[in-house]
Amino acid sequence: MKKVCFVGACGHSGSAMAPIANHPELFSVPAVSPGAPGVVLTGLVKRLSDKGLPSPKVYDDYREMLDKEQPDILVVDAYFCDHAEMSIEGLKRGIHVYCEKPAATTLEDLDRLEAVYQEAKEKGVHFAYMLTTRYDPWFYTAYQAVQQGAIGEIRMLNGQKSYKAGKRGPLFHKRETYGGTIPWVGIHALDWVLWFSGKRVKTVSAVQSSMANNHNGTMEATAICLFQLEDEVVAHINIDYLRPQTAETHGDDRIRIAGTKGVIEVRGGKVYLINGEAEGQRELPLLQPPQIFEDFAASLEGKPSLITAEQSLYFTRVCLTAQKAADTGEIIRMD
Amino acid sequence: MKKVCFVGACGHSGSAMAPIANHPELFSVPAVSPGAPGVVLTGLVKRLSDKGLPSPKVYDDYREMLDKEQPDILVVDAYFCDHAEMSIEGLKRGIHVYCEKPAATTLEDLDRLEAVYQEAKEKGVHFAYMLTTRYDPWFYTAYQAVQQGAIGEIRMLNGQKSYKAGKRGPLFHKRETYGGTIPWVGIHALDWVLWFSGKRVKTVSAVQSSMANNHNGTMEATAICLFQLEDEVVAHINIDYLRPQTAETHGDDRIRIAGTKGVIEVRGGKVYLINGEAEGQRELPLLQPPQIFEDFAASLEGKPSLITAEQSLYFTRVCLTAQKAADTGEIIRMD
């Protein structure tokens, strides 16, 4: 039985709470904490009461919660600017951390988190963040196909995240709390680029704009990042909050990967492949991926997980560096 | 009756010859010239003989052809490195030039061509190049929809050109003759970006690689260009020669444009629109565009044409600058 505490409910902590509520024989939730003024935990806690499970204690101060409850796992999902500090507080106490992305919103915070993680790692403490889209059947299926050689060696990757903007809370209105659209939204598309290719970034340039952001403060509504990866592999991601309210889904996630033997594409929740094995474009049947939090929990028992701490930290670094490139209008070397 | 001479048949001169062969009452072809050793004119000339029209005289030296035949129009379609020089020779003689893209393969040649064009323009001499895809029904339809406000103000553009590589002739194997993949292939995608948006480029960065080019010399197989346009509009184009031989079509041309009121997309020869006027994504019925060479010929009579000389020259400049950005690894300002 693992004790899991939650701080905040601003992002995808439901990806942890759903399997927890379904498996009271494996997990318990002794306590939660809002993590910032105004963060509402009702929806998160309701998942427990819906299953007839006891309501967790609520702490105003998450540090006090950690000290008193001594959980096995801390789920970090507060204001994005606080992810790093809260993760550090958990890791320092020897608590495994399952963190909303990005792991940090400034390079300074990321440096601190990395240093603390390196120490915690020596003691067997785990850290991973919520790259939830890896566990979408379409991305998972495409990844497995690429791993099996469906498109040969990867030469180019083109990723897309497109969201409906809507009217967002104050968290999103300022860089100080939000962190920026490249790290918040773009990180998924960057994840596909680096996860599929297995390459590291050599240079990055980027552009972005806060115009046409539906009155959401300084939140960037558009951004494009351009990457030179190792071995002359090239990649880009384009990100926007311009998806119309009338669109069928909230997001329009895409990755297109061109290799030496074919092209694979994820679009509209489907996977399309063209290679030498058949004439024309084929749609691949979707595989069933593991559930992200269950995958994380299994990794605590020594099983391999789709997401590693090193990826979580490095991909955050790439996003923050891409944002710096956009802020400064410079190309930044990362090798 | 307009006299049209051709130099070379390396690219899309068929876009001129087809309507000429269909309209012997409007055009005649007194002569052609290969423009470079080894350029075969058979296919081009066959379009005339297929219609029972007289075979044109063949000149080894295209300059001699221009002096002796004094055509109204010169179609330039030789080695890409010679487009600028041949256009200059035509314009200097007061001959309208319909030129394969790109208009030049070096910035120095482009400077010379621009200077000569400015003089020729004063005398009413026309220049335009073969941005053939503007006359594809899908791009034409999307352009008209955007002009009519279907997506509001444009905020981001994402363009794609993907081709089958095949085994290409020696023209393609060296930068000196080929000019590069960004100006040769990418120029169409850049055209959509700048034509649809009506914006000029402020900065450009780019990456490219000749790896995995199917043994075609130094021809770049992949490239991505990132643009900051006026008014904080952002854009990118991705270009590759990695389309598998088993794909249904030679090319996979795409543009996706996100605006303040919707998103429009050209993909697979179709046009998709999402905006506030209807729920979900709609496919637009295709409009019938004019024919590119007929449009050019009409412009000689003072009618407005889809393509202007200024666009032809400026878009070439942007492509060559993008290629320079990829060659040097620098961001280049263009404003």
Side-chain angles (χ1 to χ4, degrees):
Chain A
M1 173 76 81
K2 288 199 161 55
K3 285 196 288 183
V4 188
C5 285
F6 286 70
V7 54
C10 299
H12 297 89
S13 43
S15 68
M17 192 56 101
I20 286 171
N22 285 329
H23 293 286
E25 77 286 6
L26 297 176
F27 306 103
S28 67
V29 183
V32 296
S33 174
V39 174
V40 177
L41 298 170
T42 324
L44 194 66
V45 171
K46 186 171 180 295
R47 294 191 191 231
L48 295 173
S49 55
D50 281 353
K51 298 275 181 178
L53 297 168
S55 278
K57 190 170 172 183
V58 178
Y59 285 85
D60 284 338
D61 182 344
Y62 78 96
R63 291 180 190 82
E64 185 187 344
M65 172 176 75
L66 298 184
D67 289 334
K68 292 207 173 148
E69 304 291 341
Q70 299 193 11
D72 301 290
I73 299 172
L74 172 64
V75 178
V76 173
D77 189 25
Y79 272 23
F80 313 156
C81 56
D82 295 328
H83 289 169
E85 184 64 27
M86 290 169 171
S87 297
I88 287 171
E89 293 289 338
L91 293 173
K92 274 186 174 172
R93 288 169 172 81
I95 300 166
H96 306 300
V97 172
Y98 176 70
C99 179
E100 173 61 292
K101 42 83 194 169
T105 54
T106 68
L107 286 163
E108 294 72 26
D109 278 357
L110 182 61
D111 288 340
R112 290 197 302 127
L113 173 59
E114 279 200 334
V116 170
Y117 169 70
Q118 288 307 324
E119 283 183 29
K121 183 186 175 188
E122 301 292 317
K123 299 170 190 156
V125 183
H126 284 248
F127 174 81
Y129 70 171
M130 307 180 194
L131 290 174
T132 47
T133 59
R134 280 197 195 185
Y135 299 80
D136 288 336
W138 31 98
F139 289 109
Y140 182 76
T141 300
Y143 179 75
Q144 300 297 338
V146 169
Q147 290 295 107
Q148 286 157 26
I151 61 166
E153 286 176 31
I154 289 174
R155 299 303 311 156
M156 180 159 76
L157 306 97
N158 308 113
Q160 170 175 301
K161 287 293 290 184
S162 175
Y163 280 164
K164 297 178 181 177
K167 291 284 183 195
R168 290 172 180 255
L171 158 57
F172 289 81
H173 293 183
K174 288 191 301 187
R175 175 72 71 88
E176 290 70 30
T177 49
Y178 174 53
T181 295
I182 292 175
W184 170 245
V185 181
I187 200 161
H188 288 295
L190 177 81
D191 175 39
W192 309 325
V193 164
L194 298 183
W195 177 47
F196 276 83
S197 71
K199 304 290 183 194
R200 289 179 73 88
V201 173
K202 291 175 75 74
T203 68
V204 56
S205 56
V207 294
Q208 62 188 1
S209 171
S210 297
M211 287 172 65
N213 71 356
N214 204 29
H215 308 290
N216 282 297
T218 62
M219 182 183 85
E220 296 86 4
T222 55
I224 312 178
C225 308
L226 176 63
F227 302 100
Q228 174 79 64
L229 307 181
E230 294 170 311
D231 302 320
E232 294 187 24
V233 174
V234 297
H236 99 278
I237 60 175
N238 55 267
I239 309 149
D240 70 79
Y241 274 112
L242 296 169
R243 190 159 167 80
Q245 289 298 325
T246 51
E248 286 176 7
T249 55
H250 173 61
D252 184 3
D253 289 359
R254 304 184 189 184
I255 184 84
R256 174 182 177 271
I257 311 175
T260 51
K261 292 184 179 171
V263 175
I264 199 165
E265 197 170 353
V266 174
R267 176 162 39 83
K270 298 187 173 178
V271 185
Y272 303 99
L273 174 67
I274 318 176
N275 64 12
E277 288 166 22
E279 285 298 313
Q281 178 177 277
R282 284 170 289 155
E283 189 181 330
L284 297 187
L286 296 180
L287 304 175
Q288 194 54 48
Q291 197 279 338
I292 181 169
F293 183 75
E294 291 175 355
D295 197 36
F296 172 72
S299 76
L300 306 183
E301 311 297 335
K303 295 191 183 139
S305 161
L306 273 191
I307 300 175
T308 69
E310 286 69 24
Q311 290 169 342
S312 305
L313 297 168
Y314 179 60
F315 295 2
T316 300
R317 183 168 297 279
V318 174
C319 276
L320 294 175
T321 306
Q323 182 163 261
K324 186 177 170 185
D327 287 342
T328 61
E330 290 175 357
I331 292 181
I332 302 182
R333 292 204 69 88
M334 293 197 69
D335 55 354
Chain B
M1 173 76 80
K2 287 197 163 55
K3 285 195 289 182
V4 187
C5 285
F6 286 71
V7 54
C10 299
H12 298 89
S13 43
S15 68
M17 191 58 100
I20 287 172
N22 285 330
H23 293 286
E25 77 286 6
L26 298 176
F27 306 103
S28 68
V29 183
V32 296
S33 174
V39 174
V40 177
L41 298 169
T42 324
L44 194 67
V45 170
K46 187 170 179 295
R47 296 192 190 229
L48 294 172
S49 55
D50 281 353
K51 299 275 183 177
L53 297 168
S55 279
K57 192 171 171 182
V58 179
Y59 285 85
D60 284 339
D61 182 345
Y62 78 95
R63 292 180 188 83
E64 185 188 343
M65 173 176 77
L66 298 183
D67 289 334
K68 291 206 173 148
E69 303 291 341
Q70 300 193 9
D72 301 290
I73 299 171
L74 172 64
V75 178
V76 173
D77 189 26
Y79 273 23
F80 313 156
C81 55
D82 296 328
H83 289 168
E85 183 64 27
M86 290 169 171
S87 297
I88 287 170
E89 292 289 337
L91 293 172
K92 274 186 174 172
R93 287 170 173 81
I95 300 166
H96 305 300
V97 172
Y98 175 70
C99 180
E100 174 61 292
K101 43 81 196 170
T105 54
T106 68
L107 287 163
E108 295 71 26
D109 277 358
L110 182 62
D111 288 341
R112 291 197 302 128
L113 173 59
E114 280 200 333
V116 170
Y117 170 70
Q118 289 306 326
E119 283 184 29
K121 182 186 176 187
E122 301 292 317
K123 298 169 189 156
V125 183
H126 285 247
F127 175 81
Y129 70 171
M130 306 179 193
L131 290 173
T132 47
T133 58
R134 279 196 196 186
Y135 299 81
D136 288 336
W138 29 98
F139 289 108
Y140 182 77
T141 300
Y143 179 75
Q144 299 298 337
V146 169
Q147 290 296 107
Q148 287 156 26
I151 61 166
E153 285 176 32
I154 290 175
R155 298 304 311 156
M156 180 160 76
L157 306 97
N158 308 113
Q160 170 176 301
K161 288 291 291 185
S162 175
Y163 280 163
K164 296 178 182 178
K167 290 285 182 192
R168 289 172 180 255
L171 158 57
F172 289 82
H173 293 184
K174 288 192 301 188
R175 175 71 72 87
E176 290 70 29
T177 50
Y178 174 52
T181 294
I182 293 174
W184 170 245
V185 181
I187 200 160
H188 288 294
L190 177 81
D191 176 38
W192 309 325
V193 164
L194 299 183
W195 178 45
F196 276 83
S197 71
K199 304 290 183 195
R200 289 178 73 88
V201 174
K202 291 174 76 75
T203 68
V204 56
S205 56
V207 293
Q208 62 188 0
S209 171
S210 297
M211 286 173 66
N213 71 357
N214 205 28
H215 308 290
N216 282 298
T218 62
M219 181 183 87
E220 297 86 5
T222 54
I224 312 178
C225 307
L226 176 64
F227 301 101
Q228 174 78 65
L229 306 181
E230 295 170 309
D231 302 321
E232 294 187 25
V233 175
V234 298
H236 99 279
I237 58 174
N238 55 267
I239 309 149
D240 70 79
Y241 274 113
L242 295 169
R243 190 159 167 79
Q245 288 299 323
T246 49
E248 285 176 6
T249 55
H250 173 61
D252 184 3
D253 290 358
R254 304 184 189 182
I255 184 85
R256 175 181 177 272
I257 311 175
T260 51
K261 292 184 178 168
V263 175
I264 198 166
E265 197 170 354
V266 174
R267 176 164 36 86
K270 298 186 173 178
V271 185
Y272 303 99
L273 174 66
I274 317 175
N275 64 12
E277 288 166 22
E279 285 298 313
Q281 178 177 276
R282 285 170 289 155
E283 188 181 331
L284 297 187
L286 295 180
L287 305 175
Q288 193 55 48
Q291 195 281 335
I292 181 169
F293 183 75
E294 291 175 356
D295 197 37
F296 173 72
S299 76
L300 306 182
E301 311 297 335
K303 294 188 184 141
S305 161
L306 274 191
I307 301 175
T308 70
E310 285 69 22
Q311 290 170 341
S312 306
L313 297 167
Y314 178 60
F315 295 2
T316 300
R317 183 168 297 280
V318 174
C319 277
L320 294 174
T321 305
Q323 181 163 262
K324 187 177 170 185
D327 287 343
T328 60
E330 290 175 356
I331 291 181
I332 302 182
R333 290 205 71 89
M334 293 196 69
D335 56 355

